[in-house]
Amino acid sequence: MKPSLPLFRRGSSVTSQIGLSDRIFSTADDRGLAAGIDAGLERVEASLFAEIVFADEIASVTTRYLLEAGGKRVRPMLALLTAHLGSGGITDVVTASTAIEITHLASLYHDDVMDDSGQRRGVPSAQTVWGNSVAILTGDLLFARASQLMAKLGERAIRLQADTFERLVMGQLHETVGPHAGDDPIEHYISVLADKTGSLIAAAAQAGIIFSDAPDEFEQPLVSFGEKIGVAFQLIDDVLDLSPQPEATGKVPGTDLRAGVATLPLLRLRERAADEPASAALLERLERDVMSSQGTRSEAADSAIAALRDHEVTAQTLSEAHGWAHDAVASLAPLPDGSVKKALTRFADTIVERSS
């Protein structure tokens, strides 16, 4: 039976989510941009609930479970924002945005099985409620529904969906297998982030350009922006994974580490361990009490995670996230100055401000 939970509706406007209420956004064009994106997001939200419906009762219940649990709709927001660089209507952008958000939703079901995560968006994860098989099949159903939506938009959309889906899977595969002998583990990790997170954010930015008839020369800069801001987004998540406030993150502190995922703070700690006895001692604690715990909570594991949170490598990870966000903004140089470019810059700032 489906557990009860409050039905979520996207409550805050884009104005608050990406800072368009800031005093620097005061022109009529800026206000019009914010209002247009908010209106588009309302259409995406309605489309999500209309599309994630199945004749089979259990399929409808499981596929809507994480949809109803919440979500910031970052990817649709980005697609609608970049679409304002075009001259076409937003009907196709809304369809593509819905498909991209459903793809993201599907990936969460699979990720939680791979990571053995107990919580997602503040509720028990799907595999905790229904088991691994149902959670995996639910993700598959959602991927199928996203593909059906993209098929309505033609061959270009199908290629975009297929290429992005391939990168999502390859990223998960490379994360699972790990780096080969001789590979730089941090370069490997960043490439995993680019595939698992950056590819879908880049696809959202690209979709806004393609389906609004925006100039072709804007497409590649925005793909680069999306990839880099996706890496920044995930590095901030690496920091937030250590947060002692699960009510804010929706996850138990150290969820990724407990699942055996070596996030950037841990990788940076391994770099230091050879020359710093204190770092070596902490690494030993983490690998013994956390990485090998199979998700089981203990006082020793909680203590080791807290120590990693306070270590310099976590501040270093935060700094690297800011660097990726800065590079993402630099990718926007070919775009015309104006409300869209200003909002994209604020969007990048907001991504890295999540850790504050």
Side-chain angles (χ1 to χ4, degrees):
M1 180 176 291
K2 176 186 173 184
S4 62
L5 61 145
L7 185 62
F8 173 87
R9 291 294 186 271
R10 185 187 53 81
S12 57
S13 71
V14 68
T15 300
S16 60
Q17 289 192 50
I18 62 171
L20 294 184
S21 59
D22 293 352
R23 292 178 64 182
I24 60 171
F25 294 94
S26 57
T27 70
D29 284 347
D30 295 336
R31 292 192 295 273
L33 174 66
I37 298 172
D38 273 337
L41 283 171
E42 292 298 338
R43 290 177 61 179
V44 170
E45 195 73 9
S47 180
L48 286 168
F49 279 88
E51 293 295 340
I52 303 182
V53 176
F54 292 85
D56 184 272
E57 182 180 358
I58 184 63
S60 276
V61 169
T62 60
T63 54
R64 291 170 73 94
Y65 178 64
L66 288 182
L67 175 66
E68 293 176 350
K72 294 182 175 65
R73 313 297 185 242
V74 168
R75 292 152 193 83
M77 185 195 308
L78 183 56
L80 291 162
L81 177 53
T82 62
H84 279 75
L85 291 166
S87 57
I90 68 163
T91 298
D92 286 352
V93 179
V94 168
T95 300
S97 298
T98 302
I100 287 168
E101 186 65 11
I102 292 175
T103 299
H104 169 59
L105 194 64
S107 73
L108 300 183
Y109 284 85
H110 287 181
D111 282 353
D112 286 345
V113 172
M114 297 295 294
D115 298 342
D116 196 25
S117 178
Q119 272 195 318
R120 171 68 69 174
R121 293 178 171 176
V123 300
S125 56
Q127 88 274 7
T128 302
V129 179
W130 291 287
N132 286 349
S133 295
V134 170
I136 291 168
L137 291 169
T138 297
D140 292 345
L141 273 174
L142 289 167
F143 279 126
R145 184 55 50 90
S147 298
Q148 289 173 352
L149 280 172
M150 282 299 208
K152 295 179 181 179
L153 300 177
E155 183 180 349
R156 183 78 187 278
I158 294 170
R159 287 205 314 269
L160 177 63
Q161 175 73 2
D163 290 346
T164 304
F165 188 25
E166 180 178 310
R167 289 192 63 190
L168 290 173
V169 175
M170 292 301 292
Q172 184 64 67
L173 178 64
H174 291 154
E175 179 180 84
T176 302
V177 173
H180 296 298
D183 288 348
D184 182 288
I186 291 176
E187 288 182 5
H188 175 271
Y189 183 66
I190 295 298
S191 73
V192 166
L193 301 189
D195 284 340
K196 282 190 62 178
T197 304
S199 65
L200 197 55
I201 293 178
Q206 188 176 7
I209 295 297
I210 294 171
F211 301 111
S212 69
D213 296 325
D216 290 344
E217 60 263 30
F218 296 162
E219 189 173 334
Q220 195 52 49
L222 283 164
V223 169
S224 178
F225 173 84
E227 284 250 348
K228 291 172 181 176
I229 208 62
V231 173
F233 186 96
Q234 192 57 55
L235 292 180
I236 292 296
D237 266 9
D238 286 355
V239 174
L240 292 175
D241 184 58
L242 305 175
S243 171
Q245 300 174 316
E247 67 277 3
T249 63
K251 299 194 299 182
V252 173
T255 291
D256 291 338
L257 294 174
R258 295 175 199 271
V261 177
T263 58
L264 191 60
L266 185 76
L267 293 174
R268 289 298 184 197
L269 187 71
R270 285 175 178 168
E271 275 189 331
R272 295 184 177 215
D275 300 318
E276 299 177 2
S279 294
L282 175 56
L283 179 61
E284 182 181 354
R285 289 171 58 198
L286 287 162
E287 292 182 337
R288 181 189 65 233
D289 299 330
V290 180
M291 303 290 285
S292 302
S293 68
Q294 298 182 327
T296 303
R297 293 197 68 173
S298 67
E299 185 176 339
D302 290 348
S303 174
I305 289 167
L308 180 61
R309 181 172 63 247
D310 295 335
H311 195 283
E312 289 179 1
V313 291
T314 300
Q316 183 180 359
T317 298
L318 183 59
S319 176
E320 291 185 49
H322 280 268
W324 279 94
H326 179 272
D327 290 347
V329 171
S331 300
L332 302 175
L335 271 59
D337 292 335
S339 297
V340 173
K341 190 173 185 178
K342 189 161 53 172
L344 286 166
T345 301
R346 186 69 189 99
F347 178 89
D349 292 340
T350 303
I351 291 297
V352 293
E353 288 169 1
R354 292 184 304 138
S355 64
S356 60

